Amino acid sequence: DVKVTQSSRYLVKRTGEKVFLECVQDMDHENMFWYRQDPGLGLRLIYFSYDVKMKEKGDIPEGYSVSREKKERFSLILESASTNQTSMYLCASSLENQPQHFGDGTRLSIL
Amino acid sequence: AQSVAQPEDQVNVAEGNPLTVKCTYSVSGNPYLFWYVQYPNRGLQFLLKYITGDNLVKGSYGFEAEFNKSQTSFHLKKPSALVSDSALYFCAVRQYNFNKFYFGSGTKLNVKP
């Protein structure tokens, strides 16, 4: 069965810290995505990647970067965490023109 | 610009009654349309998709959705709601041959016994 694994379910960090969120998929999918989910705003795309070392900005990339060194792993980096980055972060992967498969999310709190 | 609208933040329905969760979209060219469900503290789970073909699409857990090109709508339906259907539902759209998905803001479905 399809599996997307996010390294942490809950994470608490301090403002100014560099934060790493990890996502691994075991389905050999080309495409991987990072979203943040906030009440009333739905899912907003931060970055996506369509191949190893390839990335494209989504709708809200400011304050974030990503890394995809291997096909199965897609990392989201908060360069200097701020309180307005407190949110639920969801990773997803997909094949071309197919539905996305999601991880269970990381609930990140920045204090 | 591409967008998805879910006009209702919340839908309340009694168990055993039919349910509808509404979705309208705006996208250039032929759309790929999806419905996802999210249970508390979980990621999104795929329910069904429309790519091409029949306008009525059947998916998981007895859900179906009707694609209406003239109204640019893709409403989610179920003939008889269950309490266990209570969850957050998201509509999503992507353009053909583009990897970017656009999600609606979500509709909370409450099914009361």
Side-chain angles (χ1 to χ4, degrees):
Chain A
D1 200 11
V2 166
K3 194 146 182 77
V4 177
T5 302
Q6 294 185 231
S7 53
S8 305
R9 292 297 304 275
Y10 301 92
L11 207 54
V12 180
K13 296 291 182 182
R14 299 208 172 271
T15 54
E17 281 192 70
K18 191 169 187 176
V19 181
F20 294 84
L21 302 183
E22 306 287 345
C23 175
V24 177
Q25 51 98 358
D26 65 357
M27 297 157 288
D28 205 34
H29 287 172
E30 302 96 355
N31 304 313
M32 295 189 75
F33 308 80
W34 274 107
Y35 295 90
R36 66 177 280 176
Q37 181 180 8
D38 300 290
L41 297 178
L43 273 68
R44 292 182 290 168
L45 182 65
I46 305 171
Y47 270 96
F48 68 100
S49 167
Y50 50 90
D51 203 349
V52 175
K53 296 191 187 294
M54 306 303 287
K55 62 186 179 186
E56 285 201 27
K57 292 180 180 179
D59 299 315
I60 52 165
E62 297 79 17
Y64 303 95
S65 62
V66 290
S67 172
R68 194 166 180 200
E69 297 296 317
K70 293 185 178 181
K71 192 174 186 179
E72 67 270 18
R73 187 180 296 270
F74 191 36
S75 302
L76 178 70
I77 303 153
L78 285 66
E79 298 291 343
S80 177
S82 64
T83 54
N84 63 11
Q85 292 178 308
T86 291
S87 187
M88 168 74 102
Y89 289 87
L90 292 168
C91 175
S93 70
S94 76
L95 288 169
E96 200 68 24
N97 295 328
Q98 293 301 313
Q100 295 176 314
H101 297 270
F102 284 83
D104 281 338
T106 296
R107 192 168 291 281
L108 176 65
S109 295
I110 308 295
L111 304 179
Chain B
Q2 302 3 282
S3 65
V4 178
Q6 292 181 242
E8 300 153 320
D9 291 336
Q10 187 166 298
V11 169
N12 299 312
V13 65
E15 189 174 31
N17 283 0
L19 70 87
T20 299
V21 182
K22 295 179 180 177
C23 172
T24 59
Y25 65 90
S26 171
V27 68
S28 304
N30 293 326
Y32 286 6
L33 295 156
F34 304 85
W35 274 102
Y36 291 85
V37 61
Q38 185 180 35
Y39 297 100
N41 297 316
R42 301 298 302 274
L44 278 67
Q45 295 178 33
F46 168 70
L47 276 180
L48 51 79
K49 67 180 179 184
Y50 172 83
I51 305 295
T52 187
D54 287 341
N55 290 341
L56 187 63
V57 178
K58 293 191 184 296
S60 306
Y61 313 119
F63 284 94
E64 56 191 28
E66 186 166 14
F67 171 63
N68 187 316
K69 188 173 184 178
S70 63
Q71 296 185 2
T72 61
S73 68
F74 189 56
H75 300 331
L76 181 70
K77 300 182 181 188
K78 188 173 183 181
S80 179
L82 299 172
V83 172
S84 58
D85 293 329
S86 299
L88 189 56
Y89 291 80
F90 288 96
C91 180
V93 65
R94 59 172 284 187
Q95 289 175 266
Y96 175 72
N97 269 348
F98 281 80
N99 283 321
K100 198 171 172 184
F101 289 73
Y102 298 88
F103 283 83
S105 55
T107 298
K108 186 176 181 186
L109 174 65
N110 295 314
V111 181
K112 305 227 163 134

